[in-house]
Amino acid sequence: MFFEGSEKKIEILLKPGTTPLRRHPDIDWHHVVSLARATVLSTVSNELCDAYLLSESSLFVFQHRVVMITCGTTSLVAAVEEMLRTFNRDDILFLMYERKNELSPEDQHSDYEEDARRLRRFVPGNTTIFGKENDHYVAVFHYGPDCQPQATDMTLEVLMHEIDREAAAPFMQADIGKPALYERTGVNRIFDEFAIDDFIFDPMGYSLNGICEREYYTFHITPQSECSYASFETNRVFGEGELEATLNKVLAIFRPRIVTAVYFDKNAAGIAVPTGYSARTASQQRFCGFDVLFANYRKA
């Protein structure tokens, strides 16, 4: 059973003083999700964030920031258009639309170039391609002429293909139960003190949202062998050595053959090659005040 695990992502940061997104009178987040051809499964909230677990990935809504990730054959750009029709362009501090290359692009409702054309009707963004277009790559549409990231504005994405079959096995059992899944995988123990909201799909697959104050992390797993894929993302503020430790911890769960890492930071110093992997391609670009690091790794 083929399923496209590779994801599309939008992140929008609005200027301070704008209408808070969590209770915005002109935005129904369930409607926004439906425009992307997804549905809301459940929600977990704290004082700073509403985390929506979706039928195809996740949505995180803060007071002035929104992050939405979708997989499968979703039309995330349609949801973004709905947001941009609501926001005043002058209120947008930063916008980033990201799309990972798909295994089956012919099944998608649009490609990256079409999505970028649609977004340019709202904001005059630019495109940066990370990686090689005949290999694993990420295309990023970005806008933020006045963006000055804070020291806490960090995001790590770990995109994993061809995950180990033994590691994938727990996520292929719809009746496994969450306690057994946690014990066998440790997906709920990446960080301490996070409120967890997750879903085991039938017949297979798994998604998790975790939040703690302003920080989140999320997993999405497509375990079937013909299209095996797992992703991890977090905006956790890493201390010295914690980024590499987290990357290695995630890779130890899935043991993928191919890994793409993308890291946004105000002043990024680099990422050490994960244990047991070799670097294939790596690059660094700067836009909208961010250093963006990209690397492809292959299991040694």
Side-chain angles (χ1 to χ4, degrees):
M1 182 179 68
F2 181 86
F3 183 82
E4 187 68 68
S6 295
E7 289 148 327
K8 313 167 187 79
K9 173 186 173 182
I10 182 68
E11 180 169 358
I12 300 175
L13 177 62
L14 299 181
K15 295 177 181 178
T18 55
T19 304
L21 293 176
R22 299 179 71 190
R23 302 294 180 266
H24 199 293
D26 298 322
I27 299 179
D28 177 348
W29 291 109
H30 286 254
H31 176 60
V32 169
V33 169
S34 71
L35 291 174
R37 303 173 186 252
T39 58
V40 175
L41 300 177
S42 57
T43 309
V44 63
S45 300
N46 61 24
E47 293 182 357
L48 301 177
C49 176
D50 298 319
Y52 298 79
L53 197 66
L54 309 183
S55 55
E56 282 85 6
S57 299
S58 299
L59 166 67
F60 299 93
V61 181
F62 303 84
Q63 290 294 71
H64 297 104
R65 183 191 299 267
V66 57
V67 178
M68 186 172 177
I69 306 164
T70 65
C71 58
T73 57
T74 51
S75 297
L76 179 57
V77 68
V80 180
E81 289 174 321
E82 177 69 8
M83 298 181 209
L84 296 180
R85 279 190 286 266
T86 304
F87 305 154
N88 186 320
R89 191 176 89 179
D90 292 338
D91 291 338
I92 297 174
L93 189 62
F94 172 67
L95 180 150
M96 185 274 293
Y97 178 82
E98 176 185 313
R99 190 158 171 173
K100 175 80 166 60
N101 65 289
E102 291 97 9
L103 294 177
S104 184
E106 63 274 12
D107 293 332
Q108 298 294 316
H109 298 286
S110 66
D111 59 20
Y112 170 80
E113 292 299 332
E114 179 183 339
D115 291 353
R117 286 194 297 270
R118 291 169 66 171
L119 295 176
R120 286 194 181 96
R121 298 171 187 167
F122 297 91
V123 293
N126 297 310
T127 286
T128 300
I129 305 291
F130 293 93
K132 300 176 181 179
E133 293 195 47
N134 61 347
D135 196 1
H136 289 275
Y137 69 90
V138 171
V140 181
F141 176 91
H142 47 88
Y143 169 79
D146 302 319
C147 184
Q148 297 181 357
Q150 303 299 309
T152 55
D153 289 334
M154 303 177 182
T155 306
L156 172 66
E157 304 169 18
V158 186
L159 316 175
M160 298 165 277
H161 284 276
E162 300 181 42
I163 59 181
D164 179 84
R165 300 318 304 148
E166 183 180 350
F171 303 103
M172 301 184 73
Q173 304 171 32
D175 60 350
I176 187 173
K178 293 180 182 179
L181 183 69
Y182 297 160
E183 178 65 26
R184 291 179 62 179
T185 68
V187 290
N188 64 319
R189 301 190 298 273
I190 298 298
F191 304 123
D192 296 329
E193 300 180 353
F194 274 62
I196 299 298
D197 182 27
D198 57 351
F199 191 86
I200 300 171
F201 290 91
D202 187 2
M204 63 189 72
Y206 177 76
S207 287
L208 176 150
N209 286 342
I211 57 173
C212 180
E213 298 182 349
R214 61 163 296 279
E215 296 183 339
Y216 69 84
Y217 82 90
T218 185
F219 277 113
H220 305 109
I221 295 110
T222 300
Q224 46 269 49
S225 59
E226 63 268 33
C227 52
S228 68
Y229 176 83
S231 69
F232 168 83
E233 177 170 322
T234 184
N235 69 337
R236 185 172 180 84
V237 178
F238 292 112
E240 185 176 355
E242 289 182 347
L243 188 157
E244 286 81 4
T246 300
L247 177 56
N248 280 299
K249 193 173 186 179
V250 170
L251 296 181
I253 295 174
F254 298 100
R255 305 190 293 278
R257 193 169 73 89
I258 297 172
V259 181
T260 298
V262 186
Y263 181 56
F264 289 76
D265 196 352
K266 182 178 181 179
N267 295 294
I271 305 175
V273 176
T275 303
Y277 287 81
S278 58
R280 300 174 62 206
T281 58
S283 62
Q284 179 171 341
Q285 299 285 341
R286 186 170 181 83
F287 53 76
C288 303
F290 285 96
D291 283 331
V292 186
L293 306 182
F294 170 92
N296 274 330
Y297 307 108
R298 185 180 293 273
K299 196 170 182 63

